[in-house]
Amino acid sequence: MKNNLLHHETCEFDVCVVGGGMAGLCAGIASARNGAKTALVQDRPVLGGNASSEVRMWICGAHGEHNKETGLLEEIQLENQCRNPGGNYSIWDSVLYGKAFYQPLLTPFLNCSCTDAEMDGDRIVSIKAWQLTSQTWHTIRAKTFIDCSGDSILAAVTGAEFRAGREARHEFGEDIQPEAADAKTMGNTLLIQLRRTEESQPFIAPPWAYKFRSQEELPHRIQGVNGHNFWWVEIGGLQDTIRDAEPIRDELMRYGYGVWDYIKNHAPERAKAENWALEWLGALPGKRENRRFMGDYVLTQNDVEAGGDFSDIIAYGGWSMDDHHPAGLLYPGRPTIFHPAPSPYGIPYRCLYSRNISNLLFAGRNISVTHAALSSTRVMATCAMLGQAAGTAAALCARHGCDPRSFATGVRLDELQRTLMDDDCWLPGRPRPLSELAARGTFHSGGDDARVLLDGIDRDRPGGTHAWSGPVGREIEVKWQGEEKPAGVRLVFDSDLSKQKQMPCTYPHRSGRGTAVPSTLVKSYRLEAMDAAGNWNVVHRATENYQRLVKVPLNVACKALRFVAEETWGDPQARIFGFEPLDSCAVKMPDYPSGPGIDELRARVPAADLAPPSKPGKEPKKPKLSA
Ligand SMILES: Cc1cc2nc3c(=O)[nH]c(=O)nc-3n(C[C@H](O)[C@H](O)[C@H](O)COP(=O)(O)OP(=O)(O)OC[C@H]3O[C@@H](n4cnc5c(N)ncnc54)[C@H](O)[C@@H]3O)c2cc1C
């Protein structure tokens, strides 16, 4: 008789996120932090999608000095700056892993590929997913689903409306689109990373690599080795980037080794590459484009160019419309055209839920946009914010027992936008509403008015600063008429939004490129409360802060509260965008549990299992390696 030892497991969640790229990771964390029991189903062993160690594309977002995306993305990147100054990809993976695996209410399923869905009319009841490592079929039931798979697997198995390819120019009046609609897309890429070393690094290409012998054969592509990004080793846009993914990967291998062979052995400037080694050539191509879900709204080139002034704004873009030629490397002209886009431009919530599947949200490169708008919205910082918005919306759906469309207007939309802003997502054009306690207080610092802390804008803008700044040690004080009992304090420090905080493309120095916690951030600070007798008492002290958004629970009765920065990560001045006493204080970022030592680990194992082998072996003279 035939065996079937495969496992089957069924579990139940409020929210199920499919795909663990930057969009899916942020969706999962946001959903869990806002109270929903959440599953995160990712078909790879690591999180981050194209930003992970498996693909290694750096995270880009809105252009402009003060426009960098904050919220969960900034939190993740600041932890990476602190723990990973050498820009090591394994450490970066571990930052993303820690965020997901030590997030209460979030259950990640790695190596787990969604393959099917069970429907009840226009609702998804459950998804089916195959976990390769455990030979287990998972059935995951949930109230709301979020597709962050990039390739929109839930469009393939639920009947959700989607489109792929380029729209005709006339359809939405987009002048960067072709005359007639077609199925062409941007292509896939296997990235290459280089490392500078101190000795000569010969390279012998595999015989099957493609052969490039002059710069004319690769026009507009190769620059120097230093800091180079090989995004342009791109093909597949003339095929189907899903169905043809495997042959496209095989081709990319031949292109990738061929390009490096050209740089090392044939380029006129090959002497400059003498000491450079091939650090890594990916095996999993990064994908740019395929199915885009259709929502209640389809964002177009014209919306992007008009600045995206939407009442239901939940995120923003700001990368140019970076429209790659579908022939990729085979096209002898410039590989992409950067059509200008204003930065920032708003993206509406209506692009994040399905027009025909009632409990389906999506986030990432598969949202409801045209090909032209996608060429801007697809960058990963934008995708991360879209993920945070979709995850927050899904958690609010669970809280209120309703479907995603309910959050498109009215008080529910207001709740969604307020929650996002409270979690440090900037919604351009919308000041963040402040607590009643903050509004009742008077803010000053060393005799000066500190009302800038009450303007609800937690970043600098081109017209001026929105930060309080003063020398380390100077206090900021909020005072009330009588006694108050703040539930906590919300602090927003300056994490230097002019820095992109990206992982490296190549390694020009042996130790990586040296990222670090921004010198502007406050490292140590204390909070003091004035009691009824007029005495100041320290109620909280932090010494190793590296985050921008910090919430401190307090619950102390006081007549006044003050904040004192004791040290920054380098700057003599402390800069603070927010110091807000709170009416209620939900601390959403969890502390990591501390890993135990070996004694505790052994104590978890039954003593009998730690008994020595019944027949002890003969001690070798020299220790031997074991297999
Ligand atoms: C070569 C290249 C260069 C680029 N350059 C940049 C750049 O410089 N900066 C930038 O910000 N962006 C860049 N982009 C664009 C950006 O990487 C993508 O648009 C972005 O990764 C989309 O994010 P996402 O989270 O939607 O999808 P992804 O990053 O693709 O993540 C989706 C995840 O879902 C998983 N998944 C797929 N199907 C399933 C399934 N059935 N079940 C479970 N999991 C599934 C995938 O394995 C993947 O990990 C580039 C893209 C490429 C390919």
Side-chain angles (χ1 to χ4, degrees):
M1 207 181 80
K2 181 174 158 302
N3 265 349
N4 189 344
L5 301 178
L6 306 182
H7 299 282
H8 291 258
E9 278 179 20
T10 299
C11 43
E12 188 116 20
F13 291 88
D14 295 319
V15 176
C16 174
V17 181
V18 177
M22 291 312 294
L25 175 65
C26 292
I29 297 171
S31 170
R33 286 195 185 173
N34 284 292
K37 192 179 165 214
T38 305
L40 174 58
V41 180
Q42 160 72 339
D43 63 359
R44 309 297 310 171
V46 291
L47 295 159
N50 285 353
S52 74
S53 63
E54 288 194 315
V55 182
R56 305 197 182 191
M57 185 33 71
W58 59 12
I59 295 175
C60 295
H63 299 301
E65 207 188 349
H66 307 295
N67 294 336
K68 188 187 174 298
E69 298 73 7
T70 48
L72 286 172
L73 179 69
E74 183 74 351
E75 176 188 319
I76 290 168
Q77 290 180 315
L78 285 170
E79 181 172 330
N80 189 53
Q81 301 278 115
C82 183
R83 287 216 291 111
N84 189 14
N88 176 292
Y89 261 98
S90 299
I91 299 177
W92 164 248
D93 281 345
S94 83
V95 171
L96 305 185
Y97 175 91
K99 284 287 166 200
F101 277 78
Y102 294 100
Q103 172 59 54
L105 289 183
L106 184 62
T107 305
F109 294 79
L110 293 187
N111 300 303
C112 196
S113 185
C114 170
T115 58
D116 203 356
E118 187 197 340
M119 302 295 292
D120 178 8
D122 73 347
R123 300 184 72 76
I124 306 172
V125 176
S126 65
I127 62 147
K128 201 171 166 186
W130 168 245
Q131 194 165 42
L132 186 70
T133 45
S134 62
Q135 297 190 349
T136 302
W137 281 109
H138 291 276
T139 298
I140 300 174
R141 302 167 64 86
K143 295 175 192 130
T144 307
F145 292 81
I146 312 178
D147 189 324
C148 297
S149 67
D151 281 346
S152 306
I153 179 66
L154 292 181
V157 297
T158 66
E161 283 181 41
F162 71 91
R163 294 182 68 153
R166 304 186 293 185
E167 292 80 1
R169 187 172 298 174
H170 65 84
E171 188 176 352
F172 292 96
E174 297 173 305
D175 66 7
I176 66 171
Q177 297 265 31
E179 282 295 345
D182 60 33
K184 295 173 185 169
T185 62
M186 292 178 271
N188 299 353
T189 296
L190 275 182
L191 281 170
I192 299 173
Q193 281 199 317
L194 310 179
R195 185 178 286 275
R196 196 172 76 185
T197 72
E198 282 177 0
E199 60 278 327
S200 173
Q201 298 284 347
F203 174 71
I204 301 168
W208 40 263
Y210 287 140
K211 295 180 176 48
F212 307 108
R213 294 294 179 258
S214 72
Q215 178 69 65
E216 290 71 50
E217 294 173 29
L218 295 167
H220 308 292
R221 264 70 175 186
I222 292 174
Q223 300 142 28
V225 272
N226 206 347
H228 195 70
N229 180 329
F230 290 86
W231 59 268
W232 47 267
V233 182
E234 172 178 0
I235 59 162
L238 304 175
Q239 298 161 271
D240 179 338
T241 55
I242 296 176
R243 182 60 59 86
D244 301 317
E246 291 293 301
I248 291 172
R249 189 267 329 279
D250 298 339
E251 282 288 282
L252 284 168
M253 280 277 180
R254 306 182 76 179
Y255 277 102
Y257 282 108
V259 163
W260 184 231
D261 180 38
Y262 171 71
I263 294 172
K264 285 295 283 187
N265 299 323
H266 304 283
E269 298 208 319
R270 55 188 178 277
K272 288 191 181 156
E274 182 69 27
N275 288 359
W276 285 78
L278 180 65
E279 167 85 359
W280 174 88
L281 194 153
L284 178 72
K287 288 184 178 175
R288 291 182 176 84
E289 181 176 2
N290 205 289
R291 302 184 192 114
R292 302 183 301 276
F293 284 102
M294 290 292 101
D296 274 355
Y297 193 81
V298 181
L299 192 82
T300 68
Q301 173 195 341
N302 299 316
D303 294 321
V304 169
E305 285 173 347
D309 181 15
F310 296 102
S311 59
D312 59 332
I313 179 175
I314 41 74
Y316 62 92
W319 186 253
S320 316
M321 285 181 278
D322 177 6
D323 191 13
H324 294 205
H325 195 285
L329 193 51
L330 294 174
Y331 174 63
R334 291 190 183 280
T336 188
I337 301 176
F338 286 100
H339 303 282
S343 181
Y345 63 83
I347 302 176
Y349 174 63
R350 284 162 294 154
C351 294
L352 300 198
Y353 61 87
S354 169
R355 59 164 74 148
N356 68 320
I357 302 294
S358 58
N359 60 343
L360 175 62
L361 286 146
F362 24 82
R365 66 180 163 88
N366 60 1
I367 64 165
S368 182
V369 291
T370 62
H371 163 86
L374 166 81
S375 67
S376 168
T377 59
R378 68 194 174 91
V379 287
M380 286 180 276
T382 309
C383 291
M385 280 194 305
L386 294 168
Q388 185 161 358
T392 305
L396 296 181
C397 286
R399 192 180 297 168
H400 296 294
C402 59
D403 281 336
R405 187 171 277 119
S406 328
F407 287 90
T409 53
V411 288
R412 294 238 162 106
L413 171 63
D414 189 53
E415 184 184 4
L416 173 60
Q417 291 174 326
R418 275 172 183 257
T419 309
L420 287 170
M421 287 190 277
D422 191 48
D423 292 341
D424 202 22
C425 296
W426 180 43
L427 302 184
R430 260 156 219 272
R432 191 174 57 79
L434 296 182
S435 67
E436 289 176 15
L437 203 51
R440 282 202 296 278
T442 48
F443 285 70
H444 62 90
S445 171
D448 297 332
D449 192 348
R451 219 173 311 170
V452 67
L453 291 164
L454 288 177
D455 67 6
I457 300 176
D458 294 335
R459 60 177 61 216
D460 289 331
R461 301 302 310 128
T465 183
H466 293 267
W468 172 93
S469 63
V472 166
R474 178 172 300 167
E475 77 286 348
I476 312 170
E477 192 174 313
V478 53
K479 220 176 186 161
W480 292 279
Q481 298 283 340
E483 199 171 68
E484 298 280 4
K485 199 172 183 189
V489 168
R490 183 183 189 276
L491 297 161
V492 183
F493 300 122
D494 180 6
S495 58
D496 190 357
L497 298 182
S498 69
K499 298 240 162 60
Q500 290 304 309
K501 309 181 179 80
Q502 290 163 327
M503 288 289 290
C505 277
T506 64
Y507 293 92
H509 307 297
R510 275 194 301 175
S511 62
R513 69 173 190 169
T515 54
V517 178
S519 60
T520 50
L521 259 181
V522 169
K523 185 177 183 186
S524 311
Y525 62 90
R526 64 179 188 274
L527 290 166
E528 296 175 346
M530 184 192 275
D531 62 23
N535 302 314
W536 285 106
N537 304 302
V538 175
V539 288
H540 178 78
R541 176 170 256 132
T543 52
E544 289 296 328
N545 174 62
Y546 56 82
Q547 283 297 346
R548 174 183 137 91
L549 173 69
V550 177
K551 278 191 180 174
V552 182
L554 285 179
N555 235 354
V556 284
C558 57
K559 286 169 31 182
L561 203 57
R562 70 185 180 198
F563 166 88
V564 188
E566 296 178 340
E567 191 186 357
T568 67
W569 285 87
D571 282 9
Q573 296 272 316
R575 297 187 86 239
I576 292 140
F577 291 107
F579 165 48
E580 182 188 0
L582 299 172
D583 306 316
S584 62
C585 178
V587 178
K588 294 183 183 173
M589 184 170 74
D591 287 334
Y592 290 116
S594 172
I598 192 71
D599 290 344
E600 194 182 325
L601 293 173
R602 284 198 182 119
R604 293 175 186 178
V605 180
D609 289 340
L610 295 177
S614 49
K615 185 176 174 204
K618 227 170 84 189
E619 276 300 307
K621 285 207 182 93
K622 279 190 197 159
K624 282 189 179 158
L625 287 181
S626 171

